[in-house]
Short mmCIF file of all heavy atoms in Angstrom, two decimals:
data_model
loop_
_atom_site.label_atom_id
_atom_site.label_comp_id
_atom_site.label_asym_id
_atom_site.label_seq_id
_atom_site.Cartn_x
_atom_site.Cartn_y
_atom_site.Cartn_z
N MET A 1 112.12 191.67 148.38
CA MET A 1 111.42 190.97 147.27
C MET A 1 112.50 190.44 146.36
O MET A 1 113.49 191.15 146.14
CB MET A 1 110.49 192.11 146.55
CG MET A 1 110.28 191.84 145.22
SD MET A 1 109.09 192.95 144.33
CE MET A 1 109.63 194.59 144.95
N LYS A 2 112.29 189.29 145.78
CA LYS A 2 113.17 188.58 144.97
C LYS A 2 112.81 188.75 143.50
O LYS A 2 111.64 188.46 143.15
CB LYS A 2 113.43 187.13 145.35
CG LYS A 2 114.01 187.01 146.68
CD LYS A 2 114.33 185.62 147.08
CE LYS A 2 114.86 185.69 148.51
NZ LYS A 2 115.39 184.48 148.96
N LEU A 3 113.80 189.08 142.71
CA LEU A 3 113.62 189.26 141.21
C LEU A 3 114.59 188.39 140.54
O LEU A 3 115.75 188.09 141.09
CB LEU A 3 113.77 190.70 140.79
CG LEU A 3 113.03 191.72 141.64
CD1 LEU A 3 113.54 193.18 141.31
CD2 LEU A 3 111.54 191.67 141.25
N LEU A 4 114.43 188.11 139.20
CA LEU A 4 115.47 187.55 138.39
C LEU A 4 116.03 188.67 137.48
O LEU A 4 115.29 189.27 136.68
CB LEU A 4 114.94 186.42 137.45
CG LEU A 4 114.69 185.14 138.13
CD1 LEU A 4 114.10 184.17 137.07
CD2 LEU A 4 116.01 184.54 138.62
N VAL A 5 117.25 188.97 137.65
CA VAL A 5 117.98 190.01 136.85
C VAL A 5 119.04 189.26 136.10
O VAL A 5 120.00 188.79 136.65
CB VAL A 5 118.56 191.08 137.82
CG1 VAL A 5 119.32 192.12 136.95
CG2 VAL A 5 117.48 191.81 138.59
N ASN A 6 118.98 189.30 134.80
CA ASN A 6 119.81 188.66 133.91
C ASN A 6 120.04 187.09 134.35
O ASN A 6 121.08 186.63 134.40
CB ASN A 6 121.19 189.28 133.82
CG ASN A 6 121.10 190.65 133.17
OD1 ASN A 6 120.00 190.91 132.58
ND2 ASN A 6 122.10 191.45 133.20
N ASN A 7 118.92 186.46 134.64
CA ASN A 7 118.78 185.16 135.12
C ASN A 7 119.44 184.76 136.46
O ASN A 7 119.75 183.62 136.71
CB ASN A 7 119.34 184.12 133.99
CG ASN A 7 118.49 184.11 132.77
OD1 ASN A 7 117.24 184.13 132.83
ND2 ASN A 7 119.06 184.12 131.59
N LYS A 8 119.70 185.74 137.17
CA LYS A 8 120.34 185.64 138.53
C LYS A 8 119.36 186.23 139.55
O LYS A 8 118.83 187.34 139.48
CB LYS A 8 121.63 186.44 138.62
CG LYS A 8 122.35 186.25 139.83
CD LYS A 8 123.62 187.16 139.90
CE LYS A 8 124.23 187.20 141.35
NZ LYS A 8 125.23 188.24 141.42
N GLU A 9 119.09 185.40 140.56
CA GLU A 9 118.21 185.98 141.70
C GLU A 9 118.87 187.06 142.38
O GLU A 9 119.90 187.05 142.88
CB GLU A 9 117.90 184.72 142.66
CG GLU A 9 116.78 185.09 143.63
CD GLU A 9 116.32 183.96 144.47
OE1 GLU A 9 115.64 183.10 144.02
OE2 GLU A 9 116.86 183.89 145.68
N THR A 10 118.02 188.14 142.49
CA THR A 10 118.43 189.41 143.10
C THR A 10 117.38 189.94 144.03
O THR A 10 116.18 189.72 143.77
CB THR A 10 118.70 190.44 142.06
OG1 THR A 10 119.72 190.02 141.11
CG2 THR A 10 119.27 191.77 142.68
N GLU A 11 117.84 190.27 145.21
CA GLU A 11 116.84 190.84 146.16
C GLU A 11 116.76 192.47 146.09
O GLU A 11 117.74 193.04 146.19
CB GLU A 11 117.14 190.41 147.57
CG GLU A 11 116.05 190.76 148.54
CD GLU A 11 116.07 189.90 149.78
OE1 GLU A 11 116.65 188.77 149.80
OE2 GLU A 11 115.43 190.28 150.82
N LEU A 12 115.57 192.88 145.96
CA LEU A 12 115.41 194.39 145.84
C LEU A 12 115.06 194.82 147.36
O LEU A 12 114.06 194.33 147.92
CB LEU A 12 114.18 194.69 144.92
CG LEU A 12 113.91 196.22 144.81
CD1 LEU A 12 115.13 197.00 144.23
CD2 LEU A 12 112.70 196.37 143.87
N THR A 13 115.86 195.61 147.87
CA THR A 13 115.75 195.86 149.31
C THR A 13 115.10 197.34 149.55
O THR A 13 114.65 197.52 150.61
CB THR A 13 117.17 196.00 149.97
OG1 THR A 13 118.04 196.88 149.19
CG2 THR A 13 117.80 194.62 149.95
N GLN A 14 115.14 198.21 148.46
CA GLN A 14 114.53 199.45 148.68
C GLN A 14 113.64 199.91 147.55
O GLN A 14 113.94 199.66 146.44
CB GLN A 14 115.69 200.55 148.81
CG GLN A 14 116.59 200.62 147.67
CD GLN A 14 117.79 201.46 147.87
OE1 GLN A 14 117.93 202.06 148.91
NE2 GLN A 14 118.54 201.63 146.85
N GLY A 15 112.45 200.32 147.82
CA GLY A 15 111.49 200.67 146.80
C GLY A 15 110.90 199.48 146.05
O GLY A 15 111.19 198.36 146.40
N GLN A 16 110.12 199.93 145.07
CA GLN A 16 109.48 198.76 144.27
C GLN A 16 109.54 199.12 142.72
O GLN A 16 108.79 198.38 142.00
CB GLN A 16 108.08 198.58 144.72
CG GLN A 16 107.87 198.14 146.12
CD GLN A 16 106.46 198.07 146.56
OE1 GLN A 16 105.62 198.95 146.10
NE2 GLN A 16 106.06 197.12 147.29
N THR A 17 110.28 200.04 142.35
CA THR A 17 110.28 200.38 140.88
C THR A 17 111.67 200.05 140.22
O THR A 17 112.60 199.75 140.86
CB THR A 17 110.09 201.88 140.73
OG1 THR A 17 111.21 202.60 141.29
CG2 THR A 17 108.94 202.50 141.40
N ILE A 18 111.55 200.07 138.92
CA ILE A 18 112.78 199.85 138.13
C ILE A 18 113.85 200.94 138.57
O ILE A 18 115.02 200.61 138.76
CB ILE A 18 112.56 199.89 136.68
CG1 ILE A 18 111.68 198.72 136.30
CG2 ILE A 18 113.88 199.91 135.89
CD1 ILE A 18 111.37 198.56 134.81
N ALA A 19 113.40 202.19 138.75
CA ALA A 19 114.34 203.16 139.21
C ALA A 19 115.07 202.87 140.38
O ALA A 19 116.25 203.03 140.62
CB ALA A 19 113.64 204.58 139.19
N ALA A 20 114.35 202.27 141.42
CA ALA A 20 114.86 201.86 142.71
C ALA A 20 115.91 200.79 142.57
O ALA A 20 116.91 200.77 143.14
CB ALA A 20 113.84 201.36 143.67
N LEU A 21 115.58 199.84 141.64
CA LEU A 21 116.54 198.72 141.32
C LEU A 21 117.80 199.33 140.72
O LEU A 21 118.92 198.92 140.96
CB LEU A 21 115.90 197.74 140.35
CG LEU A 21 116.83 196.54 139.94
CD1 LEU A 21 117.11 195.74 141.17
CD2 LEU A 21 116.10 195.70 138.87
N VAL A 22 117.65 200.26 139.70
CA VAL A 22 118.77 200.87 139.00
C VAL A 22 119.70 201.57 140.14
O VAL A 22 121.00 201.41 140.00
CB VAL A 22 118.37 201.86 138.00
CG1 VAL A 22 119.58 202.77 137.58
CG2 VAL A 22 117.69 201.09 136.85
N GLN A 23 119.11 202.16 141.04
CA GLN A 23 119.89 202.95 142.06
C GLN A 23 120.57 201.84 143.01
O GLN A 23 121.72 201.96 143.34
CB GLN A 23 118.95 203.75 142.93
CG GLN A 23 119.65 204.59 143.97
CD GLN A 23 118.78 205.62 144.71
OE1 GLN A 23 117.56 205.43 144.66
NE2 GLN A 23 119.34 206.54 145.37
N GLN A 24 119.84 200.76 143.39
CA GLN A 24 120.48 199.76 144.22
C GLN A 24 121.65 199.11 143.55
O GLN A 24 122.63 198.91 144.21
CB GLN A 24 119.35 198.72 144.59
CG GLN A 24 119.92 197.61 145.46
CD GLN A 24 118.82 196.68 145.99
OE1 GLN A 24 117.78 196.95 146.27
NE2 GLN A 24 119.22 195.43 145.81
N LEU A 25 121.53 198.87 142.24
CA LEU A 25 122.60 198.13 141.56
C LEU A 25 123.68 199.10 141.05
O LEU A 25 124.64 198.57 140.54
CB LEU A 25 121.97 197.41 140.34
CG LEU A 25 121.04 196.30 140.60
CD1 LEU A 25 120.47 195.77 139.39
CD2 LEU A 25 121.63 195.16 141.59
N GLU A 26 123.51 200.37 141.38
CA GLU A 26 124.51 201.45 141.06
C GLU A 26 124.88 201.39 139.61
O GLU A 26 126.04 201.45 139.11
CB GLU A 26 125.69 201.29 141.90
CG GLU A 26 125.47 201.50 143.36
CD GLU A 26 126.63 201.30 144.28
OE1 GLU A 26 127.72 200.85 143.85
OE2 GLU A 26 126.50 201.53 145.48
N LEU A 27 123.71 201.37 138.75
CA LEU A 27 124.00 201.26 137.29
C LEU A 27 124.30 202.79 136.81
O LEU A 27 123.86 203.67 137.44
CB LEU A 27 122.79 200.78 136.60
CG LEU A 27 122.39 199.30 136.93
CD1 LEU A 27 121.09 198.90 136.26
CD2 LEU A 27 123.54 198.37 136.44
N PRO A 28 125.05 202.86 135.69
CA PRO A 28 125.29 204.14 135.17
C PRO A 28 124.14 204.90 134.70
O PRO A 28 123.09 204.29 134.34
CB PRO A 28 126.30 203.86 134.01
CG PRO A 28 126.13 202.47 133.67
CD PRO A 28 125.56 201.83 134.85
N ALA A 29 124.20 206.21 134.63
CA ALA A 29 123.06 207.01 134.29
C ALA A 29 122.71 206.92 132.83
O ALA A 29 121.62 207.20 132.39
CB ALA A 29 123.31 208.49 134.65
N GLN A 30 123.73 206.53 131.96
CA GLN A 30 123.55 206.44 130.53
C GLN A 30 123.97 205.10 130.03
O GLN A 30 124.82 204.49 130.80
CB GLN A 30 124.32 207.52 129.77
CG GLN A 30 123.98 209.01 130.19
CD GLN A 30 122.58 209.28 129.67
OE1 GLN A 30 122.13 208.92 128.61
NE2 GLN A 30 121.78 210.00 130.53
N GLY A 31 123.55 204.68 128.84
CA GLY A 31 124.02 203.48 128.28
C GLY A 31 123.46 202.14 128.85
O GLY A 31 124.09 201.18 128.78
N VAL A 32 122.24 202.28 129.41
CA VAL A 32 121.58 201.14 129.99
C VAL A 32 120.26 200.98 129.45
O VAL A 32 119.46 201.93 129.40
CB VAL A 32 121.52 201.29 131.62
CG1 VAL A 32 120.76 200.06 132.16
CG2 VAL A 32 122.89 201.28 132.17
N ALA A 33 119.85 199.72 129.19
CA ALA A 33 118.43 199.36 128.61
C ALA A 33 117.97 198.31 129.56
O ALA A 33 118.70 197.42 129.97
CB ALA A 33 118.50 199.00 127.19
N ILE A 34 116.63 198.31 129.83
CA ILE A 34 116.05 197.40 130.84
C ILE A 34 114.81 196.83 130.05
O ILE A 34 113.98 197.47 129.62
CB ILE A 34 115.83 197.98 132.14
CG1 ILE A 34 117.05 198.41 132.83
CG2 ILE A 34 115.03 196.91 132.99
CD1 ILE A 34 116.89 198.98 134.16
N ALA A 35 114.71 195.49 130.22
CA ALA A 35 113.48 194.84 129.65
C ALA A 35 112.80 194.07 130.86
O ALA A 35 113.53 193.40 131.63
CB ALA A 35 113.84 193.78 128.64
N LEU A 36 111.55 194.16 130.98
CA LEU A 36 110.74 193.49 131.99
C LEU A 36 109.88 192.47 131.23
O LEU A 36 109.04 192.80 130.40
CB LEU A 36 109.90 194.48 132.72
CG LEU A 36 108.92 193.95 133.77
CD1 LEU A 36 109.70 193.19 134.91
CD2 LEU A 36 108.06 194.98 134.31
N HIS A 37 110.11 191.17 131.54
CA HIS A 37 109.43 190.09 130.81
C HIS A 37 109.55 190.23 129.38
O HIS A 37 108.58 190.16 128.63
CB HIS A 37 107.97 189.99 131.24
CG HIS A 37 107.78 189.76 132.80
ND1 HIS A 37 108.21 188.62 133.31
CD2 HIS A 37 107.27 190.62 133.68
CE1 HIS A 37 107.95 188.69 134.59
NE2 HIS A 37 107.32 189.89 134.90
N ASN A 38 110.80 190.46 128.86
CA ASN A 38 111.04 190.58 127.50
C ASN A 38 110.47 191.80 126.79
O ASN A 38 110.35 191.81 125.51
CB ASN A 38 110.75 189.27 126.65
CG ASN A 38 111.66 188.06 127.22
OD1 ASN A 38 112.92 188.34 127.44
ND2 ASN A 38 111.13 187.01 127.40
N ARG A 39 110.10 192.83 127.48
CA ARG A 39 109.47 194.00 126.95
C ARG A 39 110.35 195.20 127.37
O ARG A 39 110.51 195.41 128.60
CB ARG A 39 108.11 194.24 127.38
CG ARG A 39 107.39 195.31 126.69
CD ARG A 39 105.92 195.57 127.22
NE ARG A 39 105.68 197.06 127.29
CZ ARG A 39 105.77 197.77 128.25
NH1 ARG A 39 105.99 197.34 129.48
NH2 ARG A 39 105.39 199.06 128.21
N MET A 40 110.92 196.01 126.42
CA MET A 40 111.78 197.10 126.81
C MET A 40 110.92 198.14 127.49
O MET A 40 109.82 198.45 126.98
CB MET A 40 112.40 197.68 125.51
CG MET A 40 113.42 196.76 124.79
SD MET A 40 114.73 196.20 125.88
CE MET A 40 115.67 197.69 126.17
N ILE A 41 111.47 198.68 128.54
CA ILE A 41 110.87 199.71 129.33
C ILE A 41 111.63 200.96 129.10
O ILE A 41 112.76 201.15 129.48
CB ILE A 41 110.87 199.35 130.84
CG1 ILE A 41 110.13 198.00 131.10
CG2 ILE A 41 110.10 200.54 131.58
CD1 ILE A 41 108.75 197.82 130.71
N PRO A 42 110.94 202.06 128.45
CA PRO A 42 111.60 203.27 128.33
C PRO A 42 112.10 203.89 129.57
O PRO A 42 111.33 203.79 130.65
CB PRO A 42 110.55 204.22 127.63
CG PRO A 42 109.49 203.22 127.10
CD PRO A 42 109.55 202.07 128.03
N ARG A 43 113.14 204.63 129.59
CA ARG A 43 113.73 205.19 130.81
C ARG A 43 112.65 206.19 131.44
O ARG A 43 112.60 206.25 132.70
CB ARG A 43 115.00 206.01 130.46
CG ARG A 43 115.69 206.67 131.58
CD ARG A 43 116.89 207.34 131.12
NE ARG A 43 117.92 206.49 130.55
CZ ARG A 43 118.88 205.78 131.35
NH1 ARG A 43 118.98 206.13 132.56
NH2 ARG A 43 119.70 205.06 130.63
N THR A 44 111.84 206.80 130.69
CA THR A 44 110.80 207.67 131.22
C THR A 44 109.77 206.98 132.05
O THR A 44 109.08 207.62 132.74
CB THR A 44 110.10 208.42 130.07
OG1 THR A 44 109.57 207.48 129.25
CG2 THR A 44 111.02 209.33 129.37
N GLU A 45 109.68 205.71 131.91
CA GLU A 45 108.71 204.85 132.71
C GLU A 45 109.32 204.16 133.92
O GLU A 45 108.66 203.51 134.72
CB GLU A 45 108.04 203.79 131.69
CG GLU A 45 107.18 204.49 130.74
CD GLU A 45 106.51 203.36 129.89
OE1 GLU A 45 106.39 202.24 130.37
OE2 GLU A 45 106.21 203.64 128.72
N TRP A 46 110.65 204.30 134.12
CA TRP A 46 111.32 203.51 135.18
C TRP A 46 110.76 203.96 136.62
O TRP A 46 110.57 203.12 137.45
CB TRP A 46 112.83 203.77 135.17
CG TRP A 46 113.58 203.10 134.05
CD1 TRP A 46 112.99 202.31 133.05
CD2 TRP A 46 114.95 203.04 133.80
NE1 TRP A 46 113.83 201.91 132.12
CE2 TRP A 46 115.12 202.27 132.61
CE3 TRP A 46 116.04 203.65 134.39
CZ2 TRP A 46 116.42 202.10 132.06
CZ3 TRP A 46 117.33 203.36 133.93
CH2 TRP A 46 117.49 202.60 132.74
N GLU A 47 110.49 205.14 136.77
CA GLU A 47 109.96 205.74 138.10
C GLU A 47 108.60 205.18 138.38
O GLU A 47 108.18 205.14 139.50
CB GLU A 47 110.03 207.26 138.14
CG GLU A 47 111.33 207.88 138.27
CD GLU A 47 111.89 207.76 139.64
OE1 GLU A 47 111.08 207.58 140.59
OE2 GLU A 47 113.09 207.89 139.77
N HIS A 48 107.89 204.94 137.28
CA HIS A 48 106.45 204.51 137.40
C HIS A 48 106.17 203.02 137.36
O HIS A 48 104.98 202.57 137.43
CB HIS A 48 105.64 205.23 136.48
CG HIS A 48 105.88 206.71 136.48
ND1 HIS A 48 105.51 207.55 137.61
CD2 HIS A 48 106.51 207.48 135.61
CE1 HIS A 48 105.87 208.76 137.30
NE2 HIS A 48 106.51 208.74 136.09
N THR A 49 107.26 202.22 136.97
CA THR A 49 106.98 200.79 136.66
C THR A 49 107.30 200.10 137.96
O THR A 49 108.33 199.90 138.44
CB THR A 49 108.03 200.30 135.55
OG1 THR A 49 107.71 201.07 134.39
CG2 THR A 49 107.64 198.84 135.25
N ILE A 50 106.14 199.54 138.53
CA ILE A 50 106.23 198.74 139.79
C ILE A 50 106.62 197.39 139.54
O ILE A 50 106.06 196.66 138.59
CB ILE A 50 104.86 198.86 140.52
CG1 ILE A 50 104.32 200.28 140.73
CG2 ILE A 50 104.98 198.05 141.87
CD1 ILE A 50 105.20 201.12 141.57
N LEU A 51 107.61 196.92 140.36
CA LEU A 51 108.01 195.51 140.26
C LEU A 51 107.31 194.63 141.24
O LEU A 51 107.02 195.14 142.33
CB LEU A 51 109.53 195.38 140.50
CG LEU A 51 110.38 196.18 139.45
CD1 LEU A 51 111.87 196.24 139.81
CD2 LEU A 51 110.29 195.64 138.12
N LYS A 52 107.19 193.38 140.89
CA LYS A 52 106.44 192.40 141.73
C LYS A 52 107.45 191.21 141.94
O LYS A 52 108.32 190.97 141.16
CB LYS A 52 105.22 191.91 141.13
CG LYS A 52 104.20 193.01 140.93
CD LYS A 52 102.91 192.55 140.29
CE LYS A 52 102.77 192.47 138.81
NZ LYS A 52 103.27 193.53 138.04
N GLU A 53 107.20 190.53 143.07
CA GLU A 53 107.90 189.31 143.38
C GLU A 53 108.03 188.39 142.18
O GLU A 53 107.04 188.09 141.58
CB GLU A 53 107.28 188.55 144.57
CG GLU A 53 107.98 187.35 145.11
CD GLU A 53 109.18 187.65 146.02
OE1 GLU A 53 109.12 188.64 146.63
OE2 GLU A 53 110.05 186.74 146.15
N GLY A 54 109.27 187.96 141.89
CA GLY A 54 109.41 186.90 140.79
C GLY A 54 109.54 187.55 139.42
O GLY A 54 109.67 186.81 138.47
N ASP A 55 109.49 188.84 139.25
CA ASP A 55 109.54 189.42 138.02
C ASP A 55 110.92 189.15 137.38
O ASP A 55 112.04 189.03 138.15
CB ASP A 55 109.40 191.07 138.08
CG ASP A 55 108.04 191.50 138.01
OD1 ASP A 55 107.11 190.64 137.77
OD2 ASP A 55 107.73 192.69 138.29
N SER A 56 111.00 189.15 136.06
CA SER A 56 112.21 188.78 135.21
C SER A 56 112.69 189.97 134.44
O SER A 56 111.92 190.54 133.67
CB SER A 56 111.98 187.57 134.43
OG SER A 56 113.15 187.35 133.66
N LEU A 57 113.89 190.53 134.77
CA LEU A 57 114.38 191.59 134.07
C LEU A 57 115.68 191.25 133.41
O LEU A 57 116.43 190.44 133.80
CB LEU A 57 114.67 192.76 135.07
CG LEU A 57 113.44 193.36 135.66
CD1 LEU A 57 113.49 192.82 137.12
CD2 LEU A 57 113.51 194.81 135.67
N VAL A 58 115.94 191.92 132.17
CA VAL A 58 117.21 191.85 131.49
C VAL A 58 117.73 193.22 131.51
O VAL A 58 117.04 194.16 131.06
CB VAL A 58 116.99 191.24 130.04
CG1 VAL A 58 118.27 191.20 129.35
CG2 VAL A 58 116.48 189.76 130.10
N ILE A 59 119.00 193.42 131.96
CA ILE A 59 119.67 194.67 131.89
C ILE A 59 120.76 194.65 130.93
O ILE A 59 121.66 193.64 131.00
CB ILE A 59 120.29 195.09 133.34
CG1 ILE A 59 118.99 195.16 134.29
CG2 ILE A 59 121.08 196.35 133.24
CD1 ILE A 59 119.45 195.51 135.69
N ILE A 60 120.77 195.51 129.93
CA ILE A 60 121.84 195.56 128.86
C ILE A 60 122.65 196.87 129.14
O ILE A 60 122.06 197.91 129.11
CB ILE A 60 121.17 195.43 127.55
CG1 ILE A 60 120.33 194.24 127.36
CG2 ILE A 60 122.31 195.54 126.45
CD1 ILE A 60 119.40 194.25 126.21
N LYS A 61 123.97 196.77 129.13
CA LYS A 61 124.88 197.88 129.23
C LYS A 61 125.59 197.99 127.97
O LYS A 61 126.07 197.06 127.39
CB LYS A 61 125.86 197.68 130.33
CG LYS A 61 125.21 197.66 131.82
CD LYS A 61 126.32 197.46 132.83
CE LYS A 61 125.80 196.91 134.06
NZ LYS A 61 126.76 196.60 135.12
N ALA A 62 125.56 199.25 127.38
CA ALA A 62 126.35 199.57 126.24
C ALA A 62 127.80 199.35 126.45
O ALA A 62 128.34 199.70 127.57
CB ALA A 62 126.07 200.89 125.72
N ALA A 63 128.51 198.88 125.46
CA ALA A 63 129.95 198.68 125.57
C ALA A 63 130.63 199.24 124.36
O ALA A 63 130.08 199.15 123.32
CB ALA A 63 130.30 197.15 125.73
N CYS A 64 131.73 199.84 124.59
CA CYS A 64 132.54 200.37 123.39
C CYS A 64 133.55 199.27 122.87
O CYS A 64 133.78 198.34 123.59
CB CYS A 64 133.44 201.56 123.89
SG CYS A 64 132.50 202.88 124.52
N GLY A 65 133.81 199.35 121.68
CA GLY A 65 134.57 198.32 121.00
C GLY A 65 134.50 198.44 119.49
O GLY A 65 133.75 199.18 119.06
N GLY A 66 135.36 197.56 118.92
CA GLY A 66 135.26 197.60 117.46
C GLY A 66 135.76 196.36 116.84
O GLY A 66 135.80 195.26 117.27
#
């Protein structure tokens, strides 16, 4: 299934949830926020949020700096 992740076409090869996408992309366990169609999805909903072909996600990673 093809999705847009940060405006880049990405193919989800395993599962259909945000949690599956996080695992596939090997994102860190902490410091990550995800929005689906410009709506923030709480981490507690990642396992239950089903993705569909063409969905648009924005992944934000926290960065240290000053």
Side-chain angles (χ1 to χ4, degrees):
M1 153 174 49
K2 294 186 182 189
L3 310 165
L4 279 178
V5 178
N6 294 350
N7 292 321
K8 179 181 171 193
E9 190 173 280
T10 303
E11 188 158 342
L12 180 59
T13 58
Q14 56 186 6
Q16 298 177 319
T17 64
I18 290 178
L21 179 66
V22 168
Q23 185 175 19
Q24 178 179 317
L25 297 177
E26 299 177 354
L27 296 174
Q30 299 294 319
V32 174
I34 298 178
L36 174 61
H37 300 295
N38 295 320
R39 185 181 146 260
M40 294 303 294
I41 306 297
R43 184 178 296 268
T44 56
E45 294 181 24
W46 289 3
E47 287 284 338
H48 310 289
T49 303
I50 304 296
L51 298 172
K52 297 181 269 326
E53 181 84 23
D55 276 350
S56 176
L57 296 105
V58 174
I59 299 175
I60 302 166
K61 297 179 195 173
C64 296

